[in-house]
Amino acid sequence: MTNELLQAIQLLKNKKWVDLTHTFGPNSPHFFMFEDAKFETLFSQNDGFFAILP
């Protein structure tokens, strides 16, 4: 890695990170012209992992 990249990584490591993720579902607020969120299960834990398609 270049020195610039290493400096950038070190700078990012020293910053405070805030997780802004939140839950999302059919009852989440949204623009009235859009439909409510719908989810389709693609894989379950029986398949070895869990994945949904929003």
Side-chain angles (χ1 to χ4, degrees):
M1 278 193 253
T2 67
N3 192 33
E4 282 184 14
L5 183 55
L6 291 172
Q7 288 175 340
I9 291 170
Q10 189 59 44
L11 176 68
L12 291 172
K13 284 183 179 181
N14 290 328
K15 297 296 179 182
K16 179 180 178 182
W17 292 84
V18 178
D19 184 356
L20 298 176
T21 58
H22 58 279
T23 58
F24 178 75
N27 298 324
S28 295
H30 59 279
F31 182 61
F32 72 94
M33 296 294 288
F34 296 140
E35 296 180 14
D36 293 344
K38 296 176 185 147
F39 300 91
E40 175 186 351
T41 301
L42 299 177
F43 303 97
S44 71
Q45 285 88 354
N46 293 334
D47 299 311
F49 60 94
F50 183 72
I52 60 171
L53 178 65

